[in-house]
Amino acid sequence: MPFCEVSKYQNQTTTTTTNNNNNNGIQIFYRTYGHGSTKVLLIIGLAGTHDSWAPQIKGLTGADTPNDVDSSSSNSNDEIGVEVCAFDNRGMGRSSVPTKTSEYTTAIMAKDAIALMDHLGWRKAHVFGHSMGAMIACKLAAMAPDRILSLALLNVTGGGFECFPKLDRKTISIAIRFLKARTPEDRAAVDLDTHYTKEYLDEVVGSHTRRTILYQQYVKAISSTGMQSNHGFEGQVNACWTHKMTAKEIEVIRSSGFLISVIHGRYDIIAQIYYARKLAEKLQPYARMVDLHGGHLVSHERPQEVNQALLDLMKASEMKLNPYEWSNLSKKETGSRKLGLNILSEKNTEAGNCSSFLFDILSKFHNGLLYIFALLVMAFDHGKRFLRFSRQSRVGISIS
């Protein structure tokens, strides 16, 4: 099985003792697919494994069998082909699971990805990330911009409060079901509602709905890889919660000159599209916004459109397309979004200022509600643990 031992590829001149401890003994499980001089690194999100990228691996390479299983030799067309690497982040799948929450940040996990590139001998690659993986990809791009050919951010947010969904009955119900899930069947049922739109799940394929078909596939996949451990889940949640891109890091990415695609499902209930668009605007003029009809796992719900967007990004990068020709977010559009509903700003400055002020107040109020929701979810989770511990204590006392 292919593994990368992270500590072997750390730059000793820049790596601190703390970082060495974070990477001591960490092994990252990975798989490569296809052959060619064009390299693509795929970084999956929270609780996901490398095979979650299956539709993109097939679409980019034409292969669905990993190279370590299919050992057929490369051919003369490999120079124009594509080689893809997908891997399990620390805390999930077959990769190492550190027990300390502090060993999970998007910066630490970005260094895992850089170590993997070094392990593969890849000097540069197109880097595509989904959800938490997109946050990791942002950190990687800020840390090592000279290693990036292009950057694709699927269903991304800025981390922290932006990771929380809109507050409504449906999302609260899903959050509670997620925390209560203890079996592959429970987890599969809640994953479907978080990953896809109801419209997509209700589609009939043959004699069954897509929900029925996907449910069976999810149960099988979760059963084969196992439920994510508490250490892994809590660590990856910490990575999302503590993620933040500073103005300096954003500027490093912008000044590096590579093209960027921000791809999002407009009905994503986990990562709100508003925050993805906000990030795309910060990355102007190098970013293109791709808004698709889909949910959080738009890469599965709309694989052809996503794959085409990724191929377009790779082609434009190879052609060294002018960023102003690439971007579909003009300065005028960016400015209007920043002002919210201020359509008549030139005619009525006072009304525009009032609208902007009101928008800021509503945003802060919304963030406050998200914070309360986060506290409730965490209190619920800790309450369950306390009750479980209390029961165990009582059993221990009665036995003694």
Side-chain angles (χ1 to χ4, degrees), residues 9-270:
Y9 301 93
Q10 293 301 311
N11 185 343
Q12 299 300 325
T13 61
T14 59
T15 303
T16 65
T17 302
T18 302
N19 286 335
N20 278 330
N21 291 336
N22 288 333
N23 296 321
N24 228 354
I26 296 296
Q27 290 194 320
I28 299 299
F29 177 79
Y30 70 92
R31 282 258 160 88
T32 60
Y33 302 80
H35 300 278
S37 58
T38 300
K39 311 299 183 183
V40 178
L41 185 69
L42 302 176
I43 310 178
I44 197 57
L46 189 149
T49 54
H50 68 281
D51 47 10
S52 299
W53 285 108
Q56 283 62 57
I57 292 169
K58 181 72 173 178
L60 295 175
T61 68
D64 50 20
T65 304
N67 293 336
D68 61 289
V69 175
D70 181 7
S71 57
S72 57
S73 59
S74 56
N75 55 51
S76 58
N77 292 325
D78 285 351
E79 285 304 310
I80 59 173
V82 177
E83 182 179 6
V84 163
C85 177
F87 63 97
D88 298 344
N89 285 306
R90 60 169 64 197
M92 187 58 193
R94 300 177 190 175
S95 291
S96 299
V97 183
T99 57
K100 295 180 181 178
T101 305
S102 60
E103 295 181 82
Y104 297 84
T105 67
T106 51
I108 290 172
M109 295 163 91
K111 290 177 183 177
D112 291 345
I114 294 172
L116 178 55
M117 288 179 67
D118 291 338
H119 173 78
L120 294 168
W122 291 6
R123 176 59 192 146
K124 289 191 172 189
H126 299 277
V127 177
F128 305 156
H130 176 267
S131 194
M132 179 188 73
M135 300 181 202
I136 296 169
C138 282
K139 284 293 180 182
L140 194 163
M143 287 179 181
D146 58 320
R147 315 258 330 236
I148 308 294
L149 292 172
S150 71
L151 186 66
L153 307 174
L154 284 70
N155 297 78
V156 69
T157 71
F161 289 116
E162 295 184 14
C163 294
F164 285 95
K166 291 181 179 179
L167 280 177
D168 57 29
R169 184 180 299 176
K170 179 183 178 181
T171 53
I172 292 174
S173 172
I174 288 174
I176 293 172
R177 286 167 56 206
F178 183 86
L179 291 171
K180 291 173 66 177
R182 290 292 177 267
T183 66
E185 290 77 13
D186 292 340
R187 181 59 186 274
V190 70
D191 278 358
L192 291 179
D193 287 329
T194 56
H195 290 168
Y196 305 101
T197 60
K198 185 178 183 299
E199 173 189 359
Y200 180 75
L201 292 173
D202 289 343
E203 288 180 6
V204 177
V205 181
S207 58
H208 300 283
T209 63
R210 202 181 294 275
R211 179 186 294 274
T212 301
I213 297 169
L214 288 172
Y215 175 76
Q216 294 171 349
Q217 294 175 357
Y218 268 52
V219 170
K220 182 179 179 181
I222 296 170
S223 298
S224 64
T225 59
M227 294 281 286
Q228 187 176 25
S229 69
N230 288 335
H231 291 308
F233 175 70
E234 291 171 5
Q236 290 192 352
V237 167
N238 179 71
C240 295
W241 183 252
T242 58
H243 174 76
K244 180 179 175 60
M245 293 298 293
T246 66
K248 183 178 180 181
E249 288 174 320
I250 293 292
E251 185 54 35
V252 167
I253 294 175
R254 288 183 68 256
S255 62
S256 299
F258 49 77
L259 300 181
I260 304 163
S261 274
V262 179
I263 304 169
H264 214 95
R266 67 179 69 103
Y267 301 110
D268 188 342
I269 65 170
I270 296 178

